[in-house]
Coordinates of all heavy atoms in Angstrom, one line a residue:
I1 N -7.0 30.1 -0.7 CA -7.4 29.9 0.7 C -6.5 28.9 1.4 O -6.1 29.1 2.5 CB -8.9 29.4 0.7 CG1 -9.8 30.4 0.1 CG2 -9.3 29.1 2.2 CD1 -11.3 29.9 -0.1
M2 N -6.2 27.8 0.7 CA -5.3 26.8 1.3 C -4.7 26.0 0.1 O -5.4 25.9 -1.0 CB -6.0 25.9 2.3 CG -7.1 25.1 1.7 SD -7.8 23.9 2.9 CE -8.6 25.0 4.0
G3 N -3.6 25.5 0.3 CA -2.9 24.7 -0.7 C -1.9 23.8 -0.1 O -1.3 24.2 0.9
F4 N -1.7 22.7 -0.7 CA -0.8 21.7 -0.1 C 0.2 21.1 -1.2 O -0.2 21.0 -2.4 CB -1.5 20.5 0.5 CG -2.6 21.0 1.5 CD1 -3.9 20.9 1.2 CD2 -2.2 21.4 2.8 CE1 -4.9 21.4 2.1 CE2 -3.2 21.8 3.7 CZ -4.5 21.8 3.3
T5 N 1.4 20.8 -0.8 CA 2.4 20.3 -1.7 C 2.0 18.8 -2.0 O 1.6 18.1 -1.2 CB 3.8 20.3 -1.0 OG1 3.7 19.6 0.2 CG2 4.2 21.7 -0.8
P6 N 2.2 18.4 -3.3 CA 2.1 17.0 -3.7 C 3.1 16.2 -3.0 O 4.3 16.6 -2.9 CB 2.2 17.0 -5.2 CG 3.0 18.2 -5.5 CD 2.7 19.2 -4.4
A7 N 2.8 15.0 -2.6 CA 3.8 14.1 -1.9 C 3.4 12.7 -2.2 O 2.2 12.4 -2.4 CB 3.8 14.4 -0.4
V8 N 4.4 11.8 -2.1 CA 4.1 10.4 -2.3 C 5.0 9.6 -1.3 O 6.1 10.1 -1.0 CB 4.4 10.0 -3.7 CG1 5.9 10.2 -4.1 CG2 4.0 8.5 -4.0
S9 N 4.6 8.5 -0.8 CA 5.4 7.7 0.1 C 5.9 6.5 -0.7 O 5.2 5.8 -1.5 CB 4.5 7.2 1.3 OG 4.2 8.3 2.1
D10 N 7.2 6.2 -0.4 CA 7.8 5.0 -1.0 C 7.2 3.7 -0.6 O 6.7 3.6 0.5 CB 9.3 5.0 -0.6 CG 10.1 4.0 -1.4 OD1 9.6 3.3 -2.2 OD2 11.4 4.0 -1.2
T11 N 7.1 2.8 -1.5 CA 6.5 1.5 -1.2 C 7.5 0.5 -0.7 O 7.1 -0.6 -0.4 CB 5.7 0.9 -2.4 OG1 6.6 0.8 -3.5 CG2 4.6 1.9 -2.8
S12 N 8.7 0.8 -0.7 CA 9.8 -0.1 -0.2 C 10.0 0.1 1.3 O 11.0 0.5 1.8 CB 11.1 0.1 -0.9 OG 10.9 0.0 -2.3
T13 N 8.9 -0.2 2.1 CA 8.9 0.0 3.5 C 8.3 -1.2 4.2 O 7.5 -1.9 3.7 CB 8.1 1.3 3.9 OG1 6.7 1.1 3.6 CG2 8.6 2.5 3.1
P14 N 8.7 -1.4 5.5 CA 8.0 -2.4 6.3 C 6.5 -2.3 6.4 O 5.8 -3.2 6.5 CB 8.7 -2.3 7.7 CG 10.0 -1.6 7.4 CD 9.8 -0.7 6.3
L15 N 6.0 -1.0 6.4 CA 4.6 -0.8 6.5 C 3.9 -1.3 5.2 O 2.9 -2.0 5.4 CB 4.4 0.7 6.6 CG 2.9 1.2 6.8 CD1 2.3 0.6 8.1 CD2 2.8 2.7 6.8
Y16 N 4.4 -1.0 4.1 CA 3.8 -1.5 2.8 C 3.9 -3.0 2.8 O 3.0 -3.7 2.3 CB 4.5 -0.9 1.6 CG 3.8 -1.1 0.3 CD1 2.8 -0.2 0.0 CD2 4.1 -2.1 -0.5 CE1 2.1 -0.4 -1.2 CE2 3.4 -2.3 -1.7 CZ 2.4 -1.4 -2.1 OH 1.8 -1.6 -3.3
E17 N 5.0 -3.6 3.2 CA 5.2 -5.0 3.2 C 4.2 -5.7 4.1 O 3.7 -6.8 3.8 CB 6.6 -5.4 3.6 CG 7.7 -5.0 2.6 CD 9.1 -5.2 3.1 OE1 9.2 -5.7 4.3 OE2 10.0 -4.9 2.4
S18 N 3.9 -5.1 5.2 CA 2.9 -5.6 6.1 C 1.5 -5.6 5.5 O 0.7 -6.6 5.7 CB 2.9 -4.8 7.4 OG 1.9 -5.3 8.4
I19 N 1.1 -4.5 4.8 CA -0.1 -4.5 4.1 C -0.2 -5.6 3.1 O -1.2 -6.3 3.0 CB -0.3 -3.1 3.3 CG1 -0.5 -2.0 4.4 CG2 -1.5 -3.2 2.4 CD1 -0.5 -0.6 3.8
E20 N 0.8 -5.8 2.3 CA 0.9 -6.9 1.3 C 0.7 -8.3 2.0 O -0.1 -9.1 1.5 CB 2.2 -6.9 0.5 CG 2.3 -5.7 -0.4 CD 3.6 -5.8 -1.2 OE1 4.6 -6.0 -0.6 OE2 3.5 -5.7 -2.5
R21 N 1.4 -8.5 3.1 CA 1.4 -9.8 3.8 C 0.0 -10.1 4.3 O -0.5 -11.2 4.1 CB 2.4 -9.7 4.9 CG 2.7 -11.0 5.6 CD 4.0 -10.9 6.4 NE 4.1 -9.8 7.2 CZ 5.0 -8.8 7.1 NH1 5.9 -8.8 6.1 NH2 5.1 -7.8 8.0
V22 N -0.6 -9.1 4.9 CA -2.0 -9.4 5.5 C -3.0 -9.6 4.4 O -3.8 -10.5 4.5 CB -2.4 -8.2 6.4 CG1 -3.8 -8.4 6.9 CG2 -1.4 -8.2 7.6
L23 N -3.0 -8.8 3.4 CA -4.0 -8.9 2.3 C -3.8 -10.3 1.6 O -4.8 -10.9 1.2 CB -3.9 -7.8 1.3 CG -4.4 -6.4 1.9 CD1 -4.2 -5.3 0.8 CD2 -5.9 -6.5 2.2
T24 N -2.6 -10.7 1.4 CA -2.4 -12.0 0.7 C -2.9 -13.1 1.5 O -3.4 -14.1 0.9 CB -0.8 -12.2 0.5 OG1 -0.3 -11.1 -0.3 CG2 -0.6 -13.5 -0.2
L25 N -2.9 -13.1 2.8 CA -3.4 -14.1 3.6 C -4.9 -14.1 3.7 O -5.5 -15.2 3.8 CB -2.9 -14.0 5.1 CG -1.4 -14.4 5.3 CD1 -0.9 -14.0 6.6 CD2 -1.3 -15.9 5.1
H26 N -5.5 -13.0 3.4 CA -7.0 -12.9 3.5 C -7.6 -13.2 2.1 O -8.7 -13.6 2.0 CB -7.5 -11.6 4.0 CG -7.5 -11.5 5.5 ND1 -8.5 -11.9 6.3 CD2 -6.5 -11.0 6.3 CE1 -8.2 -11.7 7.5 NE2 -7.0 -11.2 7.6
Y27 N -6.9 -12.8 1.0 CA -7.4 -13.0 -0.3 C -6.4 -13.7 -1.2 O -5.3 -13.2 -1.4 CB -7.7 -11.6 -0.9 CG -8.8 -10.9 -0.2 CD1 -8.5 -9.8 0.6 CD2 -10.2 -11.2 -0.4 CE1 -9.5 -9.1 1.2 CE2 -11.2 -10.6 0.3 CZ -10.8 -9.5 1.1 OH -11.8 -8.8 1.7
E28 N -6.8 -14.8 -1.7 CA -5.9 -15.7 -2.5 C -5.5 -14.9 -3.8 O -6.3 -14.3 -4.4 CB -6.5 -17.0 -2.8 CG -5.6 -18.0 -3.5 CD -6.2 -19.3 -3.8 OE1 -7.4 -19.5 -3.4 OE2 -5.6 -20.2 -4.3
N29 N -4.2 -15.0 -4.1 CA -3.7 -14.3 -5.4 C -3.9 -12.8 -5.4 O -4.0 -12.2 -6.4 CB -4.4 -14.9 -6.6 CG -4.2 -16.4 -6.7 OD1 -3.1 -16.9 -6.5 ND2 -5.2 -17.1 -7.2
M30 N -3.9 -12.2 -4.2 CA -4.1 -10.8 -4.1 C -2.8 -10.1 -4.5 O -1.7 -10.6 -4.2 CB -4.3 -10.4 -2.6 CG -4.2 -8.9 -2.3 SD -5.3 -7.8 -3.1 CE -6.8 -8.2 -2.3
K31 N -2.9 -9.0 -5.3 CA -1.8 -8.2 -5.7 C -2.0 -6.8 -5.3 O -3.0 -6.2 -5.7 CB -1.6 -8.3 -7.3 CG -0.5 -7.5 -7.8 CD 0.9 -8.0 -7.4 CE 2.0 -7.2 -8.0 NZ 3.3 -7.7 -7.5
V32 N -1.2 -6.2 -4.5 CA -1.3 -4.9 -4.0 C -0.6 -3.9 -5.0 O 0.6 -4.1 -5.3 CB -0.7 -4.7 -2.6 CG1 -0.9 -3.3 -2.1 CG2 -1.4 -5.7 -1.6
V33 N -1.3 -2.9 -5.5 CA -0.8 -2.0 -6.5 C -1.1 -0.6 -6.0 O -2.2 -0.2 -5.7 CB -1.4 -2.2 -7.9 CG1 -0.9 -1.2 -8.9 CG2 -1.2 -3.6 -8.3
P34 N 0.0 0.3 -5.9 CA -0.3 1.7 -5.5 C -1.0 2.4 -6.6 O -0.8 2.1 -7.8 CB 1.2 2.2 -5.3 CG 2.0 1.3 -6.1 CD 1.4 0.0 -6.1
S35 N -1.8 3.4 -6.3 CA -2.5 4.1 -7.3 C -2.7 5.6 -6.9 O -2.4 6.0 -5.7 CB -3.9 3.5 -7.4 OG -4.7 3.7 -6.2
V36 N -3.1 6.4 -7.8 CA -3.4 7.8 -7.6 C -4.9 8.0 -7.5 O -5.6 7.4 -8.2 CB -2.8 8.7 -8.7 CG1 -3.1 10.2 -8.5 CG2 -1.3 8.5 -8.9

């Protein structure tokens, strides 16, 4: 009926760095880890 190609986004981007920066300021010792 429908199907989609698997895809992943690189984490070496300004967008990912922004996520890390904001979460670190809100949660002490926060570690951002990509997952499936």
Side-chain angles (χ1 to χ4, degrees):
I1 300 174
M2 64 176 68
F4 307 104
T5 56
V8 63
S9 291
D10 191 354
T11 56
S12 302
T13 66
L15 182 62
Y16 193 84
E17 291 172 0
S18 181
I19 292 174
E20 290 183 312
R21 191 161 49 244
V22 171
L23 287 177
T24 300
L25 285 169
H26 279 274
Y27 296 106
E28 188 177 0
N29 300 321
M30 165 65 71
K31 179 67 176 177
V32 181
V33 179
S35 64
V36 178

